[in-house]
Amino acid sequence: MSSDTLKQNDDGAGADYLPQDAARATLVGRVWRPAPVDGPSIVAVRDGQVFDITATVPTMADLLDHPDPAAIARTAPGELLGSVGPLLQASLNAEAGPAGTPVAMTLLAPCDVQAIKACGVTFAVSLLERLIEERTGGDAAAAQTMRATLQETLGTDLRSIRPGSEGALRLKETLISRGAWSQYMEVGIGTDAEVFSKSQPMSAVGFGAQVGLLPASEWNNPEPEIVLAVNSRGETVGATLGNDVNLRDIEGRSALLLGKAKDNNGSCAIGPFIRLFDGDYTIDTVRNDRVALLIEGQDDGFVLNGISNMSEISRDPLDLVAQTYGRHHQYPDGLVLFLGTMFSPIQDRGTPGSGFTHRAGDRVTIASPTLGKLVNTVHKCTEIPPWTYGVRKLYANLARRGLLR
């Protein structure tokens, strides 16, 4: 097959990475098309086939801004690129050229010019772990002892506390009197959610790509999350999966290092596709979804499994959107919003009490029955392909292709 087409027959390869009800799902995404296109294209998956619909919607922001994105995904004229299974398989084995862009057709992160925002401390378990990072100053060796101390100090099931409620405010007063209040408690059970800029437009990596860790970090983990797709009008129109890669030691030293810990080369993975809301998939599906995490060590045989139920989130997903987008802050190109995670893996990988941290080559799989699977491998951010393709290159490419109106 040529570098810009995929074989038309799909023998089922890659189906495991799609939603369980893929035949009913309205899936859209982005692919890198090599020469002669030599740039990104917007694609829709229809009956297992991938169609390039860039001529109708040049960017994902344009698609999500349409009054009926799902209808565009299902009916817009498109160039057939091949079957979705081989595309997924090719993305798992993608190679980058000298400029950092893929040499063959592969999936990209399904967002493009949108802002990439994230919410933190939205699950009780993640609140506890942020407190541990803070109290230990990012020292993984002290985490186990601090975890037991904090659980005794708090003396309550944080899952039963609704942020901003009277009960939450009473707990706040109690903890302040004990000298146990924290900036993480403020966003965990207080009125205001934590919302931060995770990454830059066009910087997220997609399905099959390498994710990056700062070389200085020695205590880190993946953060599997559902990511909402929000258009320029503040309407939530779909969802996908994301890995909000977390450097526990760096952020634990100081919350002011959040930007340094969160925004690095390859530190944000999103995909494989955005599933648009329609008659079969709604925000209520998101509220009742579950997210699974699988970490597979390539050099030590380490395996870690976990499941997160979205029903345990402390703030409603649309409340998080409202705290991000509104009269106080608009996003003319839309945004994608990470909803937070309850995962901070604590399973010992080495000596007892050492907890978990990544090793080079770890394969991370984030999965949801309704959204499929996002698969990435872990390396140092200084050793993976550099980020070289930004907004200016995108629009220059679209202009050369005659796709800007």
Side-chain angles (χ1 to χ4, degrees), residues 311-324:
S311 60
E312 295 185 31
I313 196 168
S314 60
R315 301 180 191 268
D316 185 77
L318 292 187
D319 175 60
L320 294 171
V321 173
Q323 294 212 32
T324 308

Side-chain angles (χ1 to χ4, degrees), residues 176-334:
I176 289 175
S177 68
R178 296 180 182 176
W181 191 244
S182 158
Q183 57 201 339
Y184 291 110
M185 293 294 289
E186 182 67 47
V187 296
I189 67 173
T191 302
D192 299 314
E194 178 189 18
V195 182
F196 59 92
S197 293
K198 167 59 186 176
S199 199
Q200 310 308 308
M202 298 288 295
S203 70
V205 299
F207 176 91
Q210 297 175 333
V211 294
L213 305 170
L214 274 178
S217 176
E218 297 180 352
W219 188 23
N220 43 66
N221 61 267
E223 289 193 343
E225 306 184 22
I226 288 181
V227 183
L228 296 183
V230 183
N231 66 22
S232 67
R233 298 182 296 275
E235 300 162 343
T236 304
V237 295
T240 184
L241 295 170
N243 184 354
D244 177 13
V245 178
N246 185 42
L247 309 183
R248 302 192 69 180
D249 46 359
I250 292 177
E251 186 180 348
R253 296 202 327 258
S254 169
L256 297 181
L257 293 174
L258 175 68
K260 186 177 183 67
K262 288 294 189 180
D263 187 4
N264 298 288
N265 187 32
S267 66
C268 176
I270 301 176
F273 297 98
I274 291 174
R275 182 168 183 175
L276 297 174
F277 289 161
D278 55 22
D280 294 310
Y281 185 72
T282 69
I283 191 65
D284 282 335
T285 316
V286 173
R287 292 181 174 116
N288 293 289
D289 208 348
R290 65 181 187 275
V291 180
L293 171 66
L294 171 64
I295 304 172
E296 299 170 287
Q298 301 305 297
D299 65 348
D300 60 353
F302 177 85
V303 175
L304 184 150
N305 281 285
I307 293 179
S308 171
N309 293 307
M310 285 298 295
S311 60
E312 295 185 31
I313 196 168
S314 60
R315 301 180 191 268
D316 185 77
L318 292 187
D319 175 60
L320 294 171
V321 173
Q323 294 212 32
T324 308
Y325 182 108
R327 293 190 65 183
H328 64 288
H329 199 318
Q330 298 77 48
Y331 293 84
D333 298 311

Side-chain angles (χ1 to χ4, degrees), residues 17-216:
Y17 303 110
L18 295 174
Q20 292 180 0
D21 60 342
R24 295 188 301 167
T26 307
L27 302 176
V28 293
R30 296 170 62 243
V31 301
W32 177 266
R33 295 187 64 178
V37 173
D38 200 28
S41 285
I42 305 301
V43 298
V45 181
R46 302 168 182 166
D47 297 323
Q49 303 296 307
V50 180
F51 290 85
D52 184 338
I53 60 171
T54 317
T56 301
V57 280
T59 68
M60 184 59 70
D62 292 315
L63 173 56
L64 301 184
D65 262 5
H66 192 274
D68 190 346
I72 291 294
R74 290 191 292 263
T75 64
E79 177 187 354
L80 176 61
L81 301 182
S83 301
V84 67
L87 173 62
L88 288 158
Q89 290 294 333
S91 301
L92 287 173
N93 303 302
E95 296 181 3
T101 54
V103 298
M105 188 185 302
T106 54
L107 278 170
L108 301 171
C111 54
D112 42 38
V113 297
Q114 294 94 337
I116 303 175
K117 307 291 285 188
C119 297
V121 201
T122 55
F123 287 84
V125 173
S126 64
L127 170 55
L128 178 63
E129 293 303 314
R130 295 293 86 76
L131 291 170
I132 291 168
E133 291 165 13
E134 178 186 45
R135 299 298 173 86
T136 62
D139 181 3
Q144 189 175 36
T145 300
M146 181 57 65
R147 187 172 294 111
T149 300
L150 280 172
Q151 288 173 335
E152 180 179 352
T153 299
L154 294 174
T156 186
D157 183 356
L158 293 174
R159 292 173 298 181
S160 65
I161 300 296
R162 183 169 59 85
S165 66
E166 291 184 5
L169 296 178
R170 286 195 299 270
L171 176 60
K172 176 178 180 176
E173 292 174 359
T174 300
L175 294 176
I176 289 175
S177 68
R178 296 180 182 176
W181 191 244
S182 158
Q183 57 201 339
Y184 291 110
M185 293 294 289
E186 182 67 47
V187 296
I189 67 173
T191 302
D192 299 314
E194 178 189 18
V195 182
F196 59 92
S197 293
K198 167 59 186 176
S199 199
Q200 310 308 308
M202 298 288 295
S203 70
V205 299
F207 176 91
Q210 297 175 333
V211 294
L213 305 170
L214 274 178

